């Protein structure tokens, strides 16, 4: 039987246990409520994502004039909204290029923009170009694309007349480097800007405003510009006819059918291509007298013996005197469709010579064209009659000069002797 004190102790213990149980239950309920609230908040957050940054949000800060230090960076943090709005990048948006920026404020140091994200093919072509090699040597943090295309926030479509790569503006853009003597000397490339501007292509573009005129990119490409020594380059000697042929298609057909083109196709390293005769940048108009007079020497770079014999002829001698209206190499052989004399289609084939010579000598007959067009007075085996005739004339000329030279010397000696005797006798030499 439990005493009164024991009953009191049991009651107190029961009350304490009840209080502990109630506290534990309350804590459990609170934790459950907190967890539910957190779950609900998370669900609400997922249902309502954070607001994406817009160009307006970015320009709210970046359209404000930045400090001189920030504007002096290779790419200023200041973005002129008036320049940005008409640019091609407006369609992409700020965060389209600055993809690591998701909210404001963003970190001070942001990842450099990669143009490859949108311009994969252009970037791939550029990777092995001469410009990429030079850029890797500089170890620049910013993409080399900006050197040609300019401010990334103001890049315009190449069809826009204000674009740096619009055909009328492209030579000036390329001339930033290729018209700089210091850079030309540093990297070992010729200073070609002035040469191009004075060429027929430069005149056609700048003076006549012809957008179809060849620009730098027409011959060298836009992004995948390679060294002319690279077999894949547009300016590699075997590829030059095809490069020029993109505009001069008819000329390319004639060239490839001719002796020069066939030699090039056969793999002869010294076979002439377009640039051998017309040069690469200083291309002149072919109907200009100055160019026509110089072309004979250009042909002579390969055909040295033929040039010597040509200069011995009437045609060559009057050409040396500066007369334009006379026959030169292409007058007889053609300009691009040059064929061997054994080819029936050749302009110098025996059957075609009366017609070829008849362009200047109207009524030329087979007898008229039977002469040797490239006589070599020094080749006794090929031209024996001419050789001996020239030898005779040279000997005759030397003999005449020797005879009359001796005659004049003797006459002078006799005259001086007679004068001296006359003066010694006191008699005038005239008497």
């Amino acid at each position: 039987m439990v005493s009164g004190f024991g009953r009191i102790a049991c009651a107190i213990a029961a009350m304490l246990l009840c209080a502990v149980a109630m506290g534990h239950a309350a804590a459990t309920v609170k934790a459950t409520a907190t967890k539910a609230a957190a779950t609900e908040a998370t669900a609400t957050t997922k249902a309502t994502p954070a607001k994406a940054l817009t160009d307006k949000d970015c320009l709210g800060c970046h359209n404000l004039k930045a400090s001189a230090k920030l504007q002096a960076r290779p790419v200023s943090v200041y973005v002129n909204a008036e320049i940005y709005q008409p640019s091609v990048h407006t369609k992409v948006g700020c965060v389209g290029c600055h993809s690591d920026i998701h909210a404001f404020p963003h970190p001070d140091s942001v990842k450099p923009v990669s143009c490859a994200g949108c311009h994969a093919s252009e970037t791939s072509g550029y990777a092995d170009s001469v410009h990429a090699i030079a850029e890797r040597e500089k170890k620049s943090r910013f993409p080399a694309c900006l050197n040609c295309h300019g401010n990334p926030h103001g890049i315009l479509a190449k069809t826009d007349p204000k674009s740096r790569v619009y055909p009328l503006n492209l030579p000036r853009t390329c001339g930033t480097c290729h018209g700089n003597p210091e850079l030309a000397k540093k990297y070992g490339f010729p200073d070609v800007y002035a040469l191009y501007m004075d060429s027929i292509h430069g005149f056609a573009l700048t003076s006549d405003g012809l957008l179809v005129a060849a620009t730098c990119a027409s011959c060298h490409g836009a992004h995948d510009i390679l060294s002319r020594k690279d077999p894949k380059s547009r300016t590699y000697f075997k590829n030059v006819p095809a490069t020029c042929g993109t505009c001069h298609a008819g000329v390319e057909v004639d060239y490839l059918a001719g002796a020069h083109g066939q030699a090039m196709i056969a793999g002869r390293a010294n076979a002439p291509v377009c640039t051998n005769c017309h040069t690469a940048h200083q291309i002149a108009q072919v109907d200009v007298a100055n160019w026509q007079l110089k072309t004979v020497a250009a042909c002579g770079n390969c055909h040295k013996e033929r040039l010597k014999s040509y200069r011995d002829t009437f045609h060559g001698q009057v050409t040396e005197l500066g007369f334009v209206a006379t026959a030169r190499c292409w007058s007889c052989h053609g300009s691009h469709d040059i064929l061997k004399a054994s080819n029936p289609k050749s302009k110098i084939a025996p059957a075609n010579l009366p017609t070829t010579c008849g362009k200047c000598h109207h009524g030329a007959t087979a007898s008229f064209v039977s002469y040797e067009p490239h006589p070599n007075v020094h080749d006794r085996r090929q031209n024996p009659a001419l050789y001996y005739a020239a030898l005779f004339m040279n000997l005759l000329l030397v003999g005449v000069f020797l005879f009359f030279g001796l005659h004049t010397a003797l006459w002078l000696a006799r005259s001086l002797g007679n004068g001296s005797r006359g003066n010694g006798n006191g008699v005038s030499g005239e008497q």
Side-chain angles (χ1 to χ4, degrees):
M1 189 171 183
V2 182
S3 63
F5 179 78
R7 286 197 294 272
I8 293 172
C10 289
I12 292 172
M15 292 175 64
L16 290 173
L17 289 173
C18 182
V20 170
M22 290 178 65
H24 181 71
T28 302
V29 171
K30 183 177 181 181
T32 302
T34 301
K35 184 177 181 181
T39 302
E40 182 179 356
T42 302
T44 303
T45 301
K46 290 182 178 180
T48 308
K51 180 184 176 183
L53 289 175
T54 64
D55 288 356
K56 184 177 181 181
D57 298 328
C58 299
L59 291 174
C61 294
H62 289 277
N63 192 34
L64 301 175
K65 288 282 187 179
S67 65
K69 180 180 179 181
L70 291 177
Q71 290 198 55
R73 292 166 44 155
V75 178
S76 173
V77 297
Y78 168 65
V79 179
N80 188 330
E82 294 181 0
I83 295 176
Y84 172 72
Q85 292 300 335
S87 73
V88 293
H89 286 153
T90 304
K91 299 177 182 178
V92 181
C94 304
V95 294
C97 294
H98 300 278
S99 56
D100 59 328
I101 298 177
H102 305 290
F104 176 81
H106 59 74
D108 291 337
S109 178
V110 296
K111 183 173 66 175
V113 173
S114 173
C115 300
C118 297
H119 308 284
S121 61
E122 290 83 356
T123 305
S124 176
Y126 172 83
D128 297 323
S129 70
V130 291
H131 289 156
I133 295 172
E135 197 65 27
R136 283 195 288 269
E137 292 178 358
K138 289 171 58 178
K139 297 181 180 179
S140 174
R141 176 174 178 266
F142 295 90
C145 317
L146 309 184
N147 293 334
C148 298
H149 293 278
N151 185 341
H153 303 117
I155 296 177
L156 301 172
K158 64 180 181 180
T159 55
D160 191 312
K162 295 181 181 179
S163 171
R164 288 167 58 90
V165 294
Y166 185 67
L168 291 179
N169 304 327
L170 185 60
R172 190 183 306 110
T173 298
C174 297
T176 304
C177 295
H178 294 278
N180 186 324
E182 294 182 3
L183 287 179
K185 182 178 180 180
K186 179 180 179 180
Y187 290 102
F189 56 74
D191 183 1
V192 297
Y193 175 65
L195 299 180
Y196 169 83
M197 295 303 289
D198 288 338
S199 73
I200 187 172
H201 289 155
F203 269 106
L205 186 72
T206 58
S207 298
D208 300 332
L210 297 176
L211 297 181
V212 295
T215 63
C216 316
S218 304
C219 302
H220 295 277
H223 300 95
D224 53 341
I225 301 174
L226 303 174
S227 167
R228 61 185 177 86
K229 298 178 181 179
D230 191 321
K232 294 183 290 185
S233 171
R234 291 176 177 84
T235 55
Y236 184 63
F237 84 98
K238 282 190 175 181
N239 301 330
V240 167
T243 299
C244 298
T246 55
C247 295
H248 305 281
V251 173
E252 182 191 8
V253 172
D254 290 341
Y255 167 81
L256 293 176
H260 291 160
Q262 290 299 308
M264 187 274 294
I265 294 172
R268 286 179 53 183
N270 61 345
V273 295
C274 315
T275 51
N276 291 99
C277 301
H278 296 278
T279 72
H281 298 96
Q282 202 172 7
I283 302 174
Q285 193 169 343
V286 296
D287 57 359
V288 175
N290 189 40
W291 185 87
Q292 293 184 1
L293 293 173
K294 289 181 179 180
T295 304
V296 172
C299 297
N301 289 332
C302 297
H303 305 283
K304 292 181 173 58
E305 293 302 320
R306 290 295 188 181
L307 176 62
K308 290 180 181 178
S309 61
Y310 169 80
R311 284 178 170 166
D312 288 337
T313 66
F314 172 80
H315 293 153
Q317 290 173 8
V318 295
T319 296
E320 288 295 308
L321 293 174
F323 287 89
V324 178
T326 187
R328 281 174 286 277
C329 311
W330 72 89
S331 304
C332 303
H333 295 275
S335 301
H336 302 100
D337 53 342
I338 301 172
L339 301 171
K340 294 181 178 181
S342 57
N343 190 319
K345 296 181 181 179
S346 172
K347 292 179 173 62
I348 58 172
N352 299 330
L353 276 177
T355 303
T356 300
C357 297
K359 290 185 297 184
C360 298
H361 305 279
H362 302 291
T365 62
S367 176
F368 178 85
V369 301
S370 62
Y371 75 100
E372 174 60 45
H374 285 278
N376 187 351
V377 297
H378 306 290
D379 191 338
R380 183 175 58 180
R381 185 178 60 180
Q382 183 179 1
N383 306 110
L386 185 62
Y387 172 82
Y388 287 111
L391 180 61
F392 171 76
M393 291 301 297
N394 288 334
L395 291 175
L396 178 62
L397 182 64
V398 172
V400 169
F401 273 101
L402 287 175
F403 176 80
F404 283 102
L406 179 61
H407 178 273
T408 302
L410 293 174
W411 186 274
L412 177 62
R414 180 175 179 274
S415 298
L416 293 175
N418 290 338
S420 298
R421 287 195 295 271
N423 292 333
N425 296 324
V427 180
S428 174
E430 294 180 359
Q431 294 177 346

